[in-house]
Amino acid sequence: MIEAVGLTKRYGAKTAVDQLSFQVKPGHVTGFLGPNGSGKSTTMRMIVALDRPTSGHVTINGRPFRELPNAQRHVGALLDAKAVHGGRRARAHLLSIAQLSGIPEKRVDEVLAVVGLQDAARQRTKGFSLGMGQRLGIATALLGDPQVLLFDEPVNGLDPEGILWVRNLMRRLASEGRTVLVSSHLMSEMALTADHLIVIGRGRLLADMGTQEFIAHNSAGFARVRAADTDRDGRETLGTALTKAGGRILQEPDGALRVTGLELPQISDLAHRAGVRLWELSPHRASLEEAYMRMTQSSVEYTSTEDPRAELWEPEPLALPAWEDEAEAAPEVPRTGFYAPPPPGAGGQPFLMPSNPGELASASGNPSPNTPEDTR
Ligand SMILES: Nc1ncnc2c1ncn2[C@@H]1O[C@H](COP(=O)(O)OP(=O)(O)OP(=O)(O)O)[C@@H](O)[C@H]1O
């Protein structure tokens, strides 16, 4: 386990890490997230005593890194994949570290195989691609077969196959009961890899919780509901019925309604009673990226003047119907519903999935009355 208590690091007037307290437990992949410059690398460097805290302390299995006997056997870290002597061959690089730590030579070949670098073992590292360098860095971290592993941006520069491999490796290491702390800016990847998240902003702890809990805490739960496009008054009728029942309604740019304060079955019943046909009724499931953006929006130090998150929060100017005096346009969020517009030529009719495959086969042989004839 890694435990930080009141960990603080100042560089002159700059506070890089500010009173950080957390525990990284064994058996889980813990994602370490935060905007650029939020202090992730500084924290990791302090964990392995490459930086000295200004105040506070951090321990590994109850002891500061410097007090661990043969630390390489307890802790493995990938902090900077480029920190390798370019003139050395990959195997020689690993062998020198192994010899310094009393690790047998056969382990060098084992880790080269684990990271898939057997064929490049005798190449000088200065000719390595970014991804090969990352693999060598991961091999270095694994060399001592440690119980505690730190990876700073391990998927940086890896191709999709490499990213999948890192994900599986992290999860396997955690399932073996090891403590795995991994930083990344790739939210979609972290959502698949990490069970637990530590999120920091401007050096301070913003969140320390399970990944799913984090997503649920930092995203607004709502339903997307969409009246049939063929029903001209459907949206207004539906909006009025839902508002009267206590729902809060925002308009999405594509004409769907975003409803909070009502459960999906209630919305369905209200629509049924109001005689409005629905083409979509779906729960909104937030992504980790969306939740992370919400949480860190006030902690970002470096933003472009064209901040992409503006799209997430700024209301779209939309004409509002009469039924919602105070209605707001919904901020744009990634679509997660399963609404599919009618296929071209369906004459505005929604596509109904046939109940058995035979119907589908016969339908494909006989053009539907709504399908325009091919006039060519
Ligand atoms: N040796 C140093 N001297 C002065 N300032 C430093 C030093 N190392 C880090 N900093 C500053 O501390 C802050 C935190 O940097 P750090 O590299 O830990 O952030 P990070 O979260 O890892 O960022 P990124 O995601 O961009 O890698 C930054 O403002 C950085 O400029």
Side-chain angles (χ1 to χ4, degrees):
M1 180 164 88
I2 303 169
E3 185 169 27
V5 179
L7 199 61
T8 301
K9 180 69 186 179
R10 287 192 204 95
Y11 295 107
K14 172 84 194 175
T15 303
V17 175
D18 196 0
Q19 291 285 333
L20 213 49
S21 297
F22 60 80
Q23 291 182 342
V24 185
K25 299 202 173 98
H28 300 280
V29 178
T30 300
F32 196 25
L33 310 184
N36 286 134
S38 56
K40 302 179 298 295
S41 302
T42 305
T43 303
M44 285 185 158
R45 284 202 307 272
M46 286 193 284
I47 294 172
V48 291
L50 290 173
D51 254 336
R52 197 181 285 276
T54 309
S55 61
H57 64 270
V58 58
T59 55
I60 295 165
N61 296 335
R63 301 167 88 162
F65 182 86
R66 284 184 198 282
E67 291 178 17
L68 290 171
N70 203 348
Q72 186 83 26
R73 299 286 197 125
H74 294 275
V75 188
L78 163 67
L79 297 188
D80 180 2
K82 291 188 290 296
V84 180
H85 189 301
R88 266 205 192 136
R89 297 173 205 279
R91 192 174 185 283
H93 166 75
L94 290 170
L95 190 59
S96 63
I97 297 169
Q99 284 169 344
L100 282 173
S101 312
I103 294 166
E105 189 171 345
K106 75 173 180 20
R107 179 69 184 156
V108 170
D109 296 306
E110 272 172 27
V111 292
L112 279 167
V114 169
V115 302
L117 281 182
Q118 310 94 309
D119 295 345
R122 290 179 203 285
Q123 277 182 35
R124 292 189 199 282
T125 61
K126 65 182 169 204
F128 273 21
S129 68
L130 190 57
M132 287 164 82
Q134 291 292 110
R135 285 172 186 264
L136 183 60
I138 292 171
T140 312
L142 297 176
L143 203 52
D145 198 17
Q147 281 300 308
V148 176
L149 287 142
L150 314 179
F151 298 100
D152 199 359
E153 300 275 351
V155 297
N156 191 13
L158 290 180
D159 56 22
E161 187 273 334
I163 292 176
L164 177 64
W165 166 71
V166 168
R167 184 197 311 160
N168 290 335
L169 176 70
M170 305 282 130
R171 298 200 65 81
R172 180 160 58 81
L173 292 166
S175 71
E176 291 167 357
R178 297 176 211 253
T179 303
V180 182
L181 181 65
V182 50
S183 81
S184 178
H185 289 293
L186 281 184
M187 292 301 134
S188 54
E189 196 43 44
M190 276 288 103
L192 295 172
T193 310
D195 331 278
H196 195 92
L197 297 176
I198 293 173
V199 185
I200 62 172
R202 296 179 192 264
R204 295 193 175 184
L205 188 71
L206 297 180
D208 181 353
M209 60 178 75
T211 306
Q212 292 314 317
E213 196 188 353
F214 178 84
I215 295 172
H217 262 75
N218 295 289
S219 52
F222 61 84
R224 267 178 60 89
V225 55
R226 185 182 181 92
D229 286 356
T230 44
D231 182 355
R232 283 173 141 242
D233 302 323
R235 189 160 59 115
E236 280 199 49
T237 310
L238 180 65
T240 307
L242 298 178
T243 310
K244 275 191 187 153
R248 184 172 149 71
I249 298 171
L250 302 170
Q251 289 193 93
E252 299 228 342
D254 65 354
L257 302 179
R258 185 184 294 189
V259 185
T260 46
L262 294 172
E263 299 295 326
L264 258 65
Q266 278 179 288
I267 297 171
S268 173
D269 289 350
L270 287 162
H272 182 70
R273 259 181 255 138
V276 178
R277 263 187 321 132
L278 298 184
W279 278 6
E280 179 187 359
L281 177 55
S282 60
H284 172 74
R285 291 188 189 89
S287 64
L288 175 59
E289 180 178 50
E290 188 186 328
Y292 170 83
M293 296 281 237
R294 272 178 199 272
M295 157 132 305
T296 59
Q297 60 182 315
S298 59
S299 305
V300 175
E301 277 186 82
Y302 310 104
T303 46
S304 160
T305 48
E306 292 175 22
D307 184 1
R309 71 186 66 209
E311 271 181 36
L312 283 169
W313 320 118
E314 289 303 315
E316 294 273 325
L318 284 177
L320 300 173
W323 45 260
E324 247 287 356
D325 289 344
E326 292 173 17
E328 295 166 36
E332 183 88 66
V333 291
R335 288 285 312 271
T336 54
F338 34 80
Y339 165 77
Q349 299 303 309
F351 174 71
L352 292 177
M353 181 58 78
S355 50
N356 65 61
E359 270 183 74
L360 193 61
S362 64
S364 63
N366 303 306
S368 100
N370 290 324
T371 309
E373 293 281 324
D374 188 347
T375 52
R376 280 172 300 169

